[in-house]
Amino acid sequence: MAGRIREKRRLRERDSFIRKLLAQPPDLNKPASDRNLSSEADIALKTARRQLRAGLIREAEESCISALTRAPNLTEAMRLLAMACHRTGAHRQAEDLLRRAIEISPADPEAHAELGLVLGQQGRFDAAASSFRASLERQPDNLQTLHNLGFAYVQTGAFHDAVDIFRRAIALSPDTSVLHMNCGGALQQAGCLAEAEKSYRRAIELQPDSVDSHLNLGSLLGQMKRFDESLRAFERAADLSPNHIGA
């Protein structure tokens, strides 16, 4: 009980800090960077990086707050704090921090990409796609952002756009099985069944133990009324993972 009370108090203090930080107008002429930080802010920022990578969310939040107390325009600390908030379900706070980071440093592709993740987590896939596109305008060959944009397009029903994006990603990383699988999914939903089959089979060729690729192939073959082949694909998925919920 005492632990829960302390955690609730800590979260209230975190949210209060964020509100006060964002209530201050940013100094757009002086974005903070690693090169002009005080030693205390620099240490806090580096500590927050390590803690977030290690999954120490509460500790990372506290280090970010320490850095931002000393350098309120430090966009990396805003982004790290946003990602910590995002992981704990505080999506509104995460979104507000990322929008402030973008206001200060609009050319930062990571801030746009992270905003896309936060928006997508809330089911706001049109807005997420816009953020991913903004990130790719600044960093066009980022594989993860391309993959995230393709997923966002699938969620909005823009299947042909998703195929185009997944193919861009495949051109950068042709041996990544999941890209072929997801491209196959977009092709299937777009009604391009023969092309979808090729994508699923390529995904399986690259990763023969991919349960999801075998399941997707089985579903596609069933849709194409090739039932014997469909059954074999499902049986292969079941052999690979008997307890898989889809198998």
Side-chain angles (χ1 to χ4, degrees), residues 166 170 173-185 187 196 198-200 202-204 206 213:
F166 285 132
I170 288 168
S173 185
D175 294 335
T176 301
S177 174
V178 70
L179 294 176
H180 291 275
M181 184 185 74
N182 288 341
C183 187
L187 285 163
K198 291 178 184 178
S199 290
Y200 289 145
R202 179 57 177 156
I204 291 168
L206 291 167
S213 292

Side-chain angles (χ1 to χ4, degrees), residues 111-221:
H112 290 282
E114 289 162 354
L115 179 58
L117 290 174
V118 170
L119 294 168
Q121 187 66 37
Q122 299 174 72
R124 296 159 61 188
F125 292 108
D126 284 318
S130 178
S131 290
F132 292 136
R133 287 193 299 268
S135 178
L136 289 167
E137 287 173 6
R138 296 155 175 85
Q139 197 175 55
D141 292 341
N142 186 292
L143 194 63
Q144 186 61 58
T145 304
L146 284 166
H147 188 253
N148 290 340
L149 177 56
F151 178 80
Y153 278 147
V154 167
Q155 296 303 309
T156 62
F159 302 124
H160 291 286
D161 290 333
V163 169
D164 290 342
I165 290 298
F166 285 132
R167 284 176 170 166
R168 273 179 61 184
I170 288 168
L172 293 171
S173 185
D175 294 335
T176 301
S177 174
V178 70
L179 294 176
H180 291 275
M181 184 185 74
N182 288 341
C183 187
L187 285 163
Q188 183 177 356
Q189 293 185 81
C192 305
L193 304 189
E195 292 180 72
E197 180 181 356
K198 291 178 184 178
S199 290
Y200 289 145
R201 292 195 184 279
R202 179 57 177 156
I204 291 168
E205 180 181 351
L206 291 167
Q207 188 180 348
D209 62 350
S210 170
V211 176
D212 287 336
S213 292
H214 287 285
L215 288 172
N216 290 347
L217 178 61
S219 173
L220 173 70
L221 292 169

Side-chain angles (χ1 to χ4, degrees), residues 26 30-34 37 45 68 71-82 97-106 108 111 114:
K30 292 183 179 180
S33 71
D34 288 354
L37 291 181
L45 179 62
L68 288 164
N73 265 17
L74 185 54
T75 56
E76 185 180 356
M78 290 179 196
R79 288 178 35 239
L80 292 173
L81 181 54
L97 285 163
L98 288 167
R99 291 194 185 281
R100 170 58 64 88
I102 290 168
E103 182 182 4
I104 295 170
S105 296
D108 182 358
E114 289 162 354

